[in-house]
Amino acid sequence: MSFEVRYTDLAARIGLLNTPHGILETPAFIPVVHPVRQAISPQYLKKLGFRAVITNAYITLRHHGNEAKKKGIHNIINYDGIVMTDSGGYQLLEYGSLNVEPAEIAQFEKDIKSDICIPLDEPTGYKLEYEKAKERVEQTLKNAKETLALISEHSTTKDITDDAIWVGPIQGGEHLDLITYSANALDKIGFELFALGSPVELMEAYEFSMLGQMIVAAKRAIPTKPIHLFGAGHPLTIPFAIALGCDMFDSASYMLYAKDNRYIHTNGTSRLEEISYLPCPCPICSSYTVKELLGMDRDNRVTEIAKHNLYILKAEVCAVKQAVMDGRLWEYIMQKARSHPKLMEAMAIFKNFELIEEGTPLFKEKAIFLYDPVDQYRPEVKRFRRMVSEFRPRGKKKLILYPEPRVHPFYSTKDYFQIVKKIPDAQICAYNPFLGVIPVEISDIFPSSHNLFKPMAWHSAKEYVAFSESLNTFLSTNPFEEIIIVADHFMRQVVDHEDDNSAVKKLNPKIIDYRQDIIFRL
Ligand SMILES: [Zn+2]
């Protein structure tokens, strides 16, 4: 299997996955297609730009049997793009048991020439007690191992690109250690593409925090491997999961929501009966009013809403990809987070997930935007503060700290020239709530001269814990004897909040109130 990563931002990646039916650009949303009844044809999905669809091998086996083996799944569903097949594990979750063996379904998926195949898994679902969840994880691992052994034994193709990709199904539910165990074991068995199952209940309940923790547990075990998230078809879940490192998603949400008159929009879903306008430029919303949609017969209405829902899901994935290319995925995710308090709460995960920093480019062409306390944890800013903690001024005993001017880098400002002229032997640093202390020597390194932030007076210092840490570390690790702090409203609060044992208080700095004419006040 080949998976080539082209661009990254946070833990998101734009990649190319090679399959027997062509290259799938990821992140990709893969619509669920029923192998027998199709209200929306797979050809229409292709026209909309969906390069892959997923269908159910178990239902195909029951309805089409040998005919599917003869014709192949692509002909059965009339789709010449990439076809992924689910094994029926989800039906197992719904009906309790399936009348099929893992080897039988695996052989069938191979025979119908599916491009991306999932072995028979036993989804843990959500809120299953630990021991039972563990049993299902073990059973899924056993099935997966047998499946892979069977497939490699009978594999006749020499060219690896002709071979279907087999997916390692990670289970464990909210038991994070089971997820780690499951992912590591599947990796060891030899899987190269993984799928995290099946937190649909979590997503429906907007439990983004738990979903995020599950993704993080899986990603930490298999950080470089491509990972699919089962059942993700919501416009808030998709960007969140992509930012945490998921590469593929499948869902029937577009259709399930439509059957329930649920209209997807960029920040959630609404019932058609509860809205007055269709805030979407897709062909369906451009052709009808809410009233006209509600007046249609049910089948037509479901199809039209489902089509609209697909437009939105496609646009969502494209918007996230463009944000990756622009280096603005953090800004994008934070905008999304304002759509729902539970998503905002889940943003705590982004503070300490190391893969977020690894995936964020060292340099970006565009300035980053900083608004709120959560932005003190964005990877570019954390990286800069770490650089400052290792910065050592050469032989300077005096320190001058003053609020960062709007002009970047600040050594090109008149204020800076005048300070240097007046106190040539001082170490001069600016500061802002996000980056902390900015020594002039590194003030043109990204992102210190490539950021825009809300006026400092708008920020409450006690929410900027990282600023205080950065300041105290800088003062305690460098041998300054004389410190002058030109304090604006923000810095005043910082100094007032420090306790007597802090480096700031111990060094007893001279504090002058900031005004425009700082030079005359030093
Ligand atoms: Zn629309």
Side-chain angles (χ1 to χ4, degrees), residues 170-201:
I170 303 170
Q171 295 294 345
E174 70 273 38
H175 308 293
L176 303 180
D177 63 317
L178 290 181
I179 288 186
T180 307
Y181 165 72
S182 174
N184 281 329
L186 290 163
D187 191 24
K188 225 167 147 189
I189 293 170
F191 286 95
E192 291 179 283
L193 172 62
F194 298 78
L196 178 62
S198 42
V200 177
E201 300 99 316

Side-chain angles (χ1 to χ4, degrees), residues 20 34 45 53 67 74 97-98 160 178 180 182 207 227 276 352 388-389 397-398 413 453 496 510:
H34 197 281
L45 295 172
V53 298
E67 191 204 352
H74 296 80
S97 72
L98 286 185
I160 192 87
L178 290 181
T180 307
S182 174
E207 295 294 345
I227 185 164
S276 307
N352 289 309
V388 172
S389 72
K397 305 278 181 225
K398 272 186 209 165
T413 60
F453 58 90
D496 288 348
K510 179 181 170 194

Side-chain angles (χ1 to χ4, degrees), residues 10-309:
L10 307 184
R13 28 192 199 188
I14 294 182
L16 302 174
L17 181 75
N18 235 314
T19 82
H21 273 80
I23 290 170
L24 179 65
E25 188 181 282
T26 62
F29 176 75
I30 303 179
V32 172
V33 167
H34 197 281
V36 186
R37 298 180 303 272
Q38 294 153 5
I40 290 180
S41 76
Q43 282 309 315
Y44 183 85
L45 295 172
K46 198 176 174 201
K47 225 171 68 190
L48 239 58
F50 294 103
R51 298 292 308 274
V53 298
I54 182 168
T55 193
N56 189 294
Y58 176 73
I59 301 173
T60 308
L61 175 67
R62 288 284 162 261
H63 282 265
H64 298 286
N66 282 333
E67 191 204 352
K69 288 190 199 173
K70 234 186 294 161
K71 284 185 171 173
I73 190 67
H74 296 80
N75 288 324
I76 287 285
I77 61 169
N78 188 27
Y79 182 77
D80 58 0
I82 299 159
V83 177
M84 184 170 179
T85 45
D86 198 357
S87 55
Y90 194 69
Q91 276 68 29
L92 195 70
L93 193 67
E94 274 186 15
Y95 307 124
S97 72
L98 286 185
N99 197 12
V100 68
E101 289 299 314
E104 185 189 356
I105 199 84
Q107 187 60 48
F108 183 70
E109 285 180 87
K110 190 175 156 60
D111 292 342
I112 61 176
K113 297 196 171 52
S114 164
D115 298 295
I116 303 173
C117 316
I118 301 163
L120 190 64
D121 57 342
E122 293 211 3
T124 26
Y126 182 45
K127 290 194 173 155
L128 189 67
E129 59 184 85
Y130 189 87
E131 285 310 316
K132 286 208 172 118
K134 190 161 195 303
E135 273 170 34
R136 293 202 182 169
V137 166
E138 294 293 0
Q139 188 58 48
T140 300
L141 286 174
K142 190 167 165 276
N143 293 354
K145 201 171 178 177
E146 282 171 17
T147 299
L148 215 58
L150 174 103
I151 297 308
S152 36
E153 197 181 307
H154 295 119
S155 182
T156 49
T157 48
K158 288 208 174 66
D159 182 357
I160 192 87
T161 54
D162 286 345
D163 280 335
I165 303 169
W166 284 83
V167 178
I170 303 170
Q171 295 294 345
E174 70 273 38
H175 308 293
L176 303 180
D177 63 317
L178 290 181
I179 288 186
T180 307
Y181 165 72
S182 174
N184 281 329
L186 290 163
D187 191 24
K188 225 167 147 189
I189 293 170
F191 286 95
E192 291 179 283
L193 172 62
F194 298 78
L196 178 62
S198 42
V200 177
E201 300 99 316
L202 279 177
M203 297 191 239
E204 278 299 298
Y206 280 35
E207 295 294 345
F208 296 109
S209 266
M210 180 47 74
L211 175 67
Q213 289 176 53
M214 289 170 65
I215 296 171
V216 166
K219 287 293 295 183
R220 280 190 169 136
I222 42 160
T224 57
K225 306 285 168 69
I227 185 164
H228 177 94
L229 180 63
F230 281 126
H234 189 282
L236 294 184
T237 312
I238 290 174
F240 176 65
I242 294 177
L244 290 174
C246 292
D247 304 291
M248 292 155 59
F249 312 87
D250 73 280
S251 178
S253 64
Y254 67 100
M255 186 51 80
L256 299 175
Y257 288 166
K259 286 181 178 169
D260 200 24
N261 274 359
R262 273 169 83 187
Y263 176 89
I264 302 183
H265 46 86
T266 47
N267 295 325
T269 67
S270 297
R271 294 188 60 86
L272 206 56
E273 297 87 339
E274 289 167 3
I275 56 176
S276 307
Y277 302 98
L278 301 174
C280 164
C282 88
I284 288 90
C285 300
S286 309
S287 312
Y288 303 109
T289 63
V290 176
K291 248 188 178 164
E292 284 166 343
L293 279 174
L294 284 170
M296 284 179 181
D297 68 73
R298 186 172 186 274
D299 285 356
N300 269 340
R301 183 174 63 243
V302 168
T303 306
E304 295 304 294
I305 301 175
K307 284 180 182 171
H308 152 82
N309 286 347

Side-chain angles (χ1 to χ4, degrees), residues 469-489:
E469 278 170 15
S470 151
L471 176 64
N472 280 302
T473 307
F474 190 73
L475 296 182
S476 59
T477 50
N478 293 307
F480 297 119
E481 288 165 4
E482 188 189 343
I483 298 171
I484 301 169
I485 299 180
V486 179
D488 61 356
H489 177 68

